[in-house]
Amino acid sequence: MSDSVATIIAEARGAGRSLLSEVEAKAALGAAGVPVTTTRLATSPAQATAIAAELGYPVVLKVVSDTITHKSDIGGVELNLADAAAVEAAYARIQVAVEAAAGAAAFGGVSVQPLAAPGVEVIMGMTQDPQFGPVLMFGLGGVLVEVLKDVAFRVVPLEPHDAAEMIREIKGFPVLEGYRGADPADLAALESILLSLSAFATAHPEVQELDLNPILARADGATAVDARIVLTPA
Ligand code: ADP
Ligand code: MG
């Protein structure tokens, strides 16, 4: 498992990149036991439809780019594509939008992945603190994290009780407990992801920063649908 992570990191280094693509970041985290959507790179509309047929519809297409970090801001994410015609049209729209916003060199194809089942959007992240080393973050997604900064932090390595506590200490925790009759989220699944990230950070000190934004937390599990990894400078 760590071997495949090391290979992915070495390949990015070899190409002179410190930002892993969504496809690479999910492959690395998937190998480390984090549930992620299966995500593959397509560099043509025909390849995108072939991958979509293998994964099963509906699918999601997202821009793959060395320079773009917020994909949806520039029209780089197309959700809920039901068939091959929708995939081909979305591929073309993403390419046009990206080239208009950031130039032709910014477009490196698209990632193709299944549309995940809905859930509460949560985020997890890791940063390297100069004093404490790797620190994990947990919060609810969207406006709650951006505006209210309602997040919890723990220094790596995490014990199981740390993972349980950090999920429960955010102000937004009632949303995960089943707000207004919604099913409660699978907290054990979220705790398990935090512990996998803690082990991942310990095993790979060359990871400077990572973000899973969002993870969709359901009653029966949780799945990361977006992932970003930044390596330390070579
Ligand atoms: P960005 O680079 O803009 O953060 P994301 O990959 O996070 O792009 O996609 C934007 C939003 O689209 C996510 O916050 C999530 O709500 C939704 N989304 C992304 N991927 C999937 C997926 N595979 N299944 C369902 N929803 C998704
Ligand atoms: Mg995202």
Side-chain angles (χ1 to χ4, degrees):
M1 111 181 180
S2 273
D3 281 356
S4 50
V5 177
T7 306
I8 291 163
I9 290 174
E11 276 173 13
R13 287 271 197 234
R17 289 182 292 120
S18 57
L19 177 65
L20 301 193
S21 71
E22 179 197 4
V23 173
E24 292 167 329
K26 284 179 172 171
L29 290 162
V34 175
V36 296
T37 47
T38 303
T39 302
R40 287 166 55 191
L41 172 68
T43 53
S44 70
Q47 206 182 357
T49 56
I51 294 169
E54 278 176 40
L55 295 178
Y57 289 97
V59 296
V60 173
L61 259 54
K62 302 180 192 176
V63 60
V64 171
S65 172
D66 287 346
T67 49
I68 294 164
T69 42
H70 298 290
K71 300 176 288 295
S72 42
D73 288 358
I74 53 125
V77 176
E78 295 261 356
L79 301 170
N80 203 7
L81 306 168
D83 54 30
V87 166
E88 282 170 10
Y91 191 106
R93 278 194 300 271
I94 290 174
Q95 183 163 9
V96 166
V98 169
E99 292 184 354
F107 183 73
V110 302
S111 68
V112 185
Q113 64 197 275
L115 183 77
V120 176
E121 296 203 352
V122 306
I123 75 172
M124 295 184 194
M126 189 277 289
T127 50
Q128 294 284 353
D129 182 272
Q131 201 175 347
F132 299 112
V135 176
L136 285 187
M137 183 269 277
F138 172 79
L140 294 180
V143 78
L144 285 166
V145 69
E146 277 157 30
V147 180
L148 301 179
K149 312 271 184 247
D150 179 22
V151 291
F153 294 95
R154 285 293 183 287
V155 175
V156 168
L158 264 65
E159 299 291 333
H161 71 88
D162 295 314
E165 283 165 18
M166 71 191 287
I167 290 169
R168 285 160 181 81
E169 77 187 31
I170 60 167
K171 294 191 194 70
F173 179 63
V175 173
L176 295 171
E177 280 185 298
Y179 186 64
R180 290 203 174 157
D183 286 333
D186 184 343
L187 301 179
L190 296 176
E191 291 167 23
S192 154
I193 297 174
L194 285 168
L195 294 172
S196 296
L197 293 178
S198 172
F200 183 80
T202 303
H204 303 288
E206 65 277 39
V207 172
Q208 171 148 307
E209 211 179 298
L210 85 78
D211 281 297
L212 296 175
N213 183 9
I215 295 168
L216 301 183
R218 305 181 312 275
D220 65 341
T223 307
V225 300
D226 189 19
R228 199 175 72 94
I229 288 180
V230 181
L231 304 176
T232 52

